[in-house]
Amino acid sequence: RGAWESVRRHFRHLGIDPDRDDFTAVGVGDMSGDVFGNAMLLSEHIQLVAAFDHRHVFLDPDPDAAQSFAERRRLFEMPRSSWADYSPDLISAGGGVYARALKAIPVSPEVRKRLAIDDGVVAVTPAELIRAILRAPVDLLYNGGIGTYVKAAPESHSAVGDKANDAVRVDGAQLRCRSVAEGGNLGFTQDGRVEYALTGGRINTDAIDNSAGVDTSDHEVNIKIVVDGAVRAGELSATDRNTLLVSMTDEVAALVLRDNYRQNRALDNGRAQAGVMEGVHVRFMHSLEGVGHLNRDVERLPSDEQLADRHNAGLGLTAPELAVLLAYAKIALEEELLASELPDDGDFVPELVRAFPSAVRERFLERIRAHTLRREITATALVNGLVNRAGTTFAFRIGEETGAHGPDIARAHETARAVFDQDALWRDIEALDRMVDVDVQTDMYLASRRLVERGARWLLRNRPQPLPVAATVAFFAVPVSRLAEMAAASPRIESVTAEYEAKNVPRSLAQRIAALDHLPRALDIAELAAAHEVDVEVVAAAYDEAGDKLRFEWLGDRIVELPRTDRWDALARNALREDAAAQYRRVVDAVLTAGSFDAWGEPRSTVIARMLALLDEIRTHAVYDVATLSVALRELRAIN
């Protein structure tokens, strides 16, 4: 089921809904195997046109989806079944089941057409037929077997280390399927995955597709520590323990599939930014190599030169490579958190508790709090949430820009996420699955990420560290919520709202997304409102007036438009943006102290006029770079 979440994600990019639309598939495995058999029963719309295991080759070039689904279910429920048990009457014309021990297998016109085998070929060896199946032009290749079936062209078969499948193995660039799911482990070499992905194929890694299984084992261990402790203490009988464990099956499955879904979503977001983030990815890999975490050769990650070539071609890291970095980002950050006091902070107890099913939370809350692995569970939950939401390089980039370490960055992220109530927003975006294009959802996720990132950066620069998360959220949440409502109702966002509505996003959600770019100043507004003991509406109005009369909004937009071709461009852009925000806040603070903009501005009319004339000159020449915008900010600072 975890691998099937990857299938759903791949197919959404391809315009296919596997729960509603028929789609073609080939596979490795048979219905008696859990990995293959379970997967082939997760949709009634699978047209399984070919499959093979170590005993047989199954061919059904034009299957009836409903009929074949029922027959697959019958085989799955039959003990020790094989493809030879498939009813011949249900196989479409030209198909059949053939033993791999045969010297030659007949190839019908229907099979030639379905598998795109050359005209005139009437018989092939079993190995040749399996290679044709692997190269079939279908929607999905599902690996549910044992063995490595796909490598990269430059790799030798001996380097793969699976001699039993040398005769049937193909290259990633030869695949013609639109997507791949790896229910089995090691079905592809990593270079084979990358080679296939560079042709436009949709693939993650076996680790991502199988993460739900590993996650299930983690939950099982963590739960059993709690309930077994209760049994030893006489709080629970052995019989009741077993009944309790069985009762939690569906909820544990939902928890682990949720994590799998979020990892797929994180890879989607990463893939969307792979080209523009190429420089960041290089620096992140250098950083991991510098502390001995990463060996690029071992993990088959590209060299700086290879990434530069891809960048020139408009490409970046592929999904299989991003999956590797995702794992290393989590490992590195978790090590930092565990080496700190953060996992012992009472503010993060909810993260620990949420990792358990409701039945355990309700009956054994104190045992969860005293769990022997509580620090590890808390750190894992925080890291998974942060990296899946904020992206693979978030902690690295924020550390580069602010000098902050992992624990402080995690606190800032959790605070910003809660203050801006982004979990609720992401749930509403998730609810649009199958209703809007996946790229539209990705765009909305990235808009949310930008806001949380700016909020986290602000908290790191403007609040004492380590950040008291619960207290900080309590201070900001209510005023920021009010400001979010005001921004969503503002006429200023109507054009962006309309763009999202045109993409089938409900108006209320479209307004909330369109308002996100207007919320970074909310933290400043909340602080000023508290300092001046006025409502946030008063401060927001002062911001709008100062922004209009001094063109802060126009200047901010020009700064955002600056290129970020390398690290220094990005740092310069962020520095200008933060400088502009600081000047904006300084002016509004002074206006509130003076009582009105006119009362503040009248004594400064000459210097304000000079600054506005400079902005007019910059706009007339339409040259917006670090030099011109730095001069503009200098003039703003001169207004005191």
Side-chain angles (χ1 to χ4, degrees), residues 562-624:
L562 287 172
R564 292 176 290 171
T565 54
D566 60 29
R567 177 193 179 195
W568 300 109
D569 284 339
L571 289 174
R573 177 178 173 272
N574 285 337
L576 289 176
R577 186 167 59 188
E578 290 179 7
D579 190 8
Q583 299 311 315
Y584 204 168
R585 173 173 172 150
R586 180 181 63 80
V587 167
V588 172
D589 189 13
V591 167
L592 292 170
T593 300
S596 70
F597 184 87
D598 289 341
W600 170 81
E602 181 61 32
R604 301 166 176 81
S605 58
T606 300
V607 68
I608 289 174
R610 186 175 70 234
M611 186 271 294
L612 294 176
L614 176 66
L615 293 183
D616 284 338
E617 183 179 355
I618 292 173
R619 183 158 55 181
T620 298
H621 288 86
V623 176
Y624 310 121

Side-chain angles (χ1 to χ4, degrees), residues 433-569:
D433 281 358
R434 300 162 65 172
M435 295 172 59
V436 303
D437 188 87
V438 67
D439 290 336
V440 175
Q441 284 181 296
T442 297
D443 181 64
M444 293 190 286
Y445 287 132
L446 293 177
S448 170
R449 273 175 37 167
R450 287 194 297 272
L451 173 63
V452 173
E453 182 172 317
R454 291 183 66 178
R457 191 183 291 110
W458 187 97
L459 290 165
L460 288 167
R461 292 196 185 280
N462 294 281
R463 285 273 167 155
Q465 305 300 317
L467 199 66
V469 175
T472 308
V473 172
F475 178 86
F476 283 109
V478 172
V480 168
S481 176
R482 176 61 189 141
L483 291 165
E485 292 174 1
M486 292 167 57
S490 170
R492 295 171 183 254
I493 66 167
E494 186 55 38
S495 62
V496 179
T497 299
E499 290 177 13
Y500 279 114
E501 282 189 285
K503 297 171 183 175
N504 209 33
V505 177
R507 180 170 178 80
S508 61
L509 179 56
Q511 289 174 315
R512 288 158 64 198
I513 297 295
L516 294 179
D517 282 342
H518 297 265
L519 289 181
R521 69 186 191 186
L523 301 177
D524 283 312
I525 291 175
E527 279 201 335
L528 288 175
H532 288 271
E533 299 183 338
V534 297
D535 293 336
V536 292
E537 287 85 351
V538 174
V539 183
Y543 258 88
D544 287 341
E545 185 175 17
D548 290 339
K549 291 183 177 179
L550 298 180
R551 302 178 195 165
F552 273 112
E553 300 294 345
W554 177 86
L555 181 60
D557 289 344
R558 303 294 78 75
I559 293 172
V560 169
E561 292 167 0
L562 287 172
R564 292 176 290 171
T565 54
D566 60 29
R567 177 193 179 195
W568 300 109
D569 284 339

Side-chain angles (χ1 to χ4, degrees), residues 276-288:
V276 298
M277 296 292 283
E278 176 262 330
V280 177
H281 290 146
V282 169
R283 297 200 310 276
F284 183 44
M285 288 189 287
H286 285 171
S287 173
L288 291 171

